[in-house]
Amino acid sequence: MRQVEKYLLKIALLLGIFIMPFAASAEEIDMGEKVSKFLNDTGFAQLFAGNWLCLVMIVVACVLFYLAIVKKFEPLLLLPIAFGMLLTNLPGAGLFHPELFDGGHVHWANFTNSNNVGLLDYLYLGVKLGIYPCIIFVGVGAMTDFGPLLANPKSFLLGAAAQLGIFATFLGALALGFTYAEAGSIGIIGGADGPTAIYLTSKLAPSLLGPIAVAAYSYMALVPVIQPPIMKALTTQKEREIVMKQLRKVSKKEKIVFPIVVTIFVSLLLPSAAPLIGCLMLGNLMRECGVVERLSKTVQNELMNICTIFLGISVGATTTAAAFLNFQTLAILVIGVLAFGIGSAGGVLLAKFMNLFTKNKINPLIGSAGVSAVPMAARVSQNVGQEANPGNFLLMHAMGPNVAGVIGSAVAAGILLSFLG
């Protein structure tokens, strides 16, 4: 029996030696095809095959990285936007599919095939459905003190005047050939409120979401550069030196009642603004009531940070080469800075006008803080005021129009959505 086993083993070895060259040859042919397929499927091959515009967008993403990390331009959102832009423009990665959201609608039927849906497609649903901006507004409300606004109700008017940039830019965008919905989305840049701009654009003109978000947050970061020349050009040295009286102390009861009253009044007057105003005031009520401190801290920190990450990456995902590299994007960037400038000027000019009729003069510099860049715009008013008069302290006075601008931009978005949605 052992002898038979030895013979069988020898035969198997001989057959193996005879077949091995043919098997090796077949394996080489298979491996060759696999290597060729692998090389053709790489992003490098697709870049050289005509997707060079993706390379341009990767460079743009790197520029945004530089602005966020080195120049510290709104890094908390500009950095995630830049990374989303990088991910969506990597050829072959398949992380985002614009066709799933064609025509401004979510094509839910296509989400059933998971092979045709990328990670960023799922994350973008939070933007498209208006979830992320509203949650961020809860956090903004929890971090906002409306005391200066309640102490000086005139601030409401200054915050409203600063929204002039939104509606003036809306008309300008129409003149350039944009549709009503697109013009409304571009105009909201003048409010200097990133979440509001994203919320409105996702509803009216989702194809412009990437450029508008980049423009809105870039100009918010440039508040200290854009606003001072406008403020100085529209005011005299004497006006900039005006010292305002100290604000009265606002009671806790007033601070608790305020968010409830605003939510009811604005939501009944303008139901389309209810999601933003409601979330903003919910956060503020959590802050002021004093009985849900743990929830208030959560929405200010963990919840808001998580949503900021998802919001930034999702918005960046919409900046595909086709959507970003066109005349519209350039027009949006130019019109956006005009919107911001007009909004800043509107608050200053109204303050000057109010001084014609009021006994207690208003320093016009606080009017520029009516845009929603909290608290940066208020700090700029303080800095320019102290340049003119080192003993002048305008920060708390400027915070009134500043937080009024947050409410004003949300209301403006509700008006545009009501008329154009």
Side-chain angles (χ1 to χ4, degrees), residues 367-380:
S368 65
V371 295
S372 302
V374 180
M376 196 181 304
R379 288 175 183 161
V380 171

Side-chain angles (χ1 to χ4, degrees), residues 312-325:
I313 293 175
S314 304
V315 169
T318 66
T319 56
T320 57
F324 199 86
L325 298 176

